[in-house]
Amino acid sequence: MDTLYQPSGPLVGVKVIDLSSVVMGPYTSQILGDMGADVIKVESLEGDVFRYTAPSKHSTMSASFIQLNRNKRSIALNLKNPNEKVQLLELVESADILLYNIRPKSMAKLGLDYASLQSINPRLIYCGVYGFSEDGPYSGKPAYDDLIQAMSGLADLQGRNKAEYKPEYLNTVIADKVTGITAAYAVAMALFERERSGIGQAVDVPMFETMVSFNLMEHMSEATFIENTKPNMGYGRVLSKSRKPHQTKDGFLGILPYTSAQWERFFILSGLKHYAKEERFINPALRGKNIDEMYGILSEIMKTKTTDEWITLLKDADIPMAKVNTLESLLDDEHLKQIGFFKTFQHPTEGVIRLTDIPTKFSRTPGTIYRLPPNLNQDAVSTKVNKKCGKAS
């Protein structure tokens, strides 16, 4: 069983008021909490809706909620109630960051817009994570991970390498998580700037624009050059129909010959020496144009040996490859075991729980897991905010 430590990390002393729910905002605040920030999760009286997803042992503590809400306190407030709103404003007075994923117009209606809170606390970093920029026609539209995957071109990308074009979603809430990570680094930069200027600012992190930028890094392609009036977009290697874990005699293996030398060695050890001399495969400028054929050849030859036989051959030839882990096999992965990546804790209501470790490591100010995911309103007394919420403990 792992031990809970005292808060540590580069953000010790930073106080975060987190009004967000579900995945995007809570992922941001968990990253901040992992780095030592004192995160006060302000929930509705019913609680974050993610508390109620399956599976769970108790209805308000789902597995997904547990994975997204360590290193936080929980208080429950009805922000439409003037008395309870006052309690939030008292917390804001001494806060460094306020994080929200409520629509900006709804925040303004509650009197929690940036101008109102800046007058209470000029040093406040006010970070909104929501669907679309307020400056465009999509402002205020509903935004969920599936919808953003569809609108941002991601579902299109997932459909392009199918035998028959069919847009698909990734099997993960990637838009929420990428936007959450983006918000975490944006807030950290705003804190850094505040140390120089002495004043806070509003930071907007819209999902749609974040994901369009994320998707087009490698996929802008010919559209990079304005003279192309009908550009072909998409990075060819990634969109190849044969880019996938390849079937062996007894399983699957990820393999990626990448350089010319690696492709040469692969063709030779596979008994396809004639391909190792072909300019269209070995010349990097031409390889991209023939990547579908190359991956097709690779896919067929991989079926001729077992996974272990290929691993031995490819390792000796220094060709990048990897076994295909299932979610379940990750729990027994030898690397993750050796570094102690999965932590187990005795939760006061949920029994023994498993959490992932903090992936980023700091040599001098490492983050820690110091507080287990909270039950709803566990850090408030009756309907009054526990004054200890203003200090890390």
Side-chain angles (χ1 to χ4, degrees), residues 129-148:
V129 285
Y130 46 82
F132 306 90
S133 167
E134 289 292 281
D135 297 328
Y138 297 163
S139 169
K141 286 185 68 170
Y144 297 94
D145 193 275
D146 289 4
L147 304 185
I148 297 299

Side-chain angles (χ1 to χ4, degrees), residues 98-111:
L98 184 135
L99 177 71
Y100 70 94
N101 66 349
I102 304 165
R103 294 177 192 176
K105 286 182 180 176
S106 298
M107 289 290 282
K109 197 177 289 186
L110 288 167

Side-chain angles (χ1 to χ4, degrees), residues 145-146 149 154-155 157-158 168-174 214:
D145 193 275
D146 289 4
Q149 286 200 39
L154 190 55
L157 284 169
Q158 291 305 107
E168 292 185 353
Y169 297 137
L170 269 70
N171 291 331
T172 182
V173 286
I174 191 168
F214 180 82

Side-chain angles (χ1 to χ4, degrees), residues 246-378:
H246 297 283
Q247 190 168 358
T248 65
K249 263 187 177 180
D250 60 353
F252 292 88
L253 188 68
I255 172 174
L256 184 63
Y258 199 79
T259 66
S260 296
Q262 287 167 353
W263 274 109
E264 280 190 62
R265 292 198 298 272
F266 174 75
F267 285 137
I268 290 169
L269 70 84
S270 301
L272 302 170
K273 293 183 181 179
H274 55 291
Y275 287 136
K277 299 179 189 248
E278 292 201 21
E279 187 76 2
R280 65 194 174 118
F281 291 163
I282 301 309
N283 184 325
L286 299 176
R287 191 159 56 238
K289 297 177 181 178
N290 296 285
I291 199 68
D292 268 337
E293 185 179 357
M294 294 178 74
Y295 278 167
I297 293 168
L298 185 153
S299 188
E300 286 304 309
I301 200 70
M302 291 295 289
K303 296 173 185 175
T304 63
K305 300 183 190 301
T306 66
T307 299
D308 286 341
E309 286 171 339
W310 276 119
I311 286 174
T312 301
L313 277 171
L314 297 170
K315 185 177 180 181
D316 290 345
D318 193 25
I319 295 172
M321 53 78 189
K323 282 186 174 180
V324 178
N325 270 323
T326 64
L327 296 179
E328 292 78 10
S329 68
L330 284 171
L331 299 176
D332 295 312
D333 181 89
E334 60 179 348
H335 175 85
L336 297 177
K337 272 188 169 181
Q338 184 164 322
I339 66 172
F341 184 75
F342 294 106
K343 306 295 186 185
T344 56
F345 298 97
Q346 182 71 47
H347 191 279
T349 61
E350 306 311 301
V352 179
I353 61 172
R354 179 188 286 115
L355 301 175
T356 59
D357 195 10
I358 300 168
T360 51
K361 302 298 180 185
F362 287 66
S363 64
R364 189 169 49 81
T365 58
T368 56
I369 298 175
Y370 57 90
R371 184 175 290 127
L372 296 179
N375 285 285
L376 179 61
N377 205 30
Q378 74 172 34

Side-chain angles (χ1 to χ4, degrees), residues 95-97 118 121-125 191 194-195 198-201:
D96 296 286
I97 300 159
Q118 185 191 34
N121 180 355
R123 288 174 55 81
L124 184 69
I125 306 298
L191 283 172
R194 192 188 69 177
E195 293 306 299
I199 55 175
Q201 60 184 305

Side-chain angles (χ1 to χ4, degrees), residues 177-193:
K177 290 189 285 188
V178 167
T179 308
I181 293 169
T182 303
Y185 78 64
V187 163
M189 289 189 285
L191 283 172
F192 177 79
E193 192 281 334

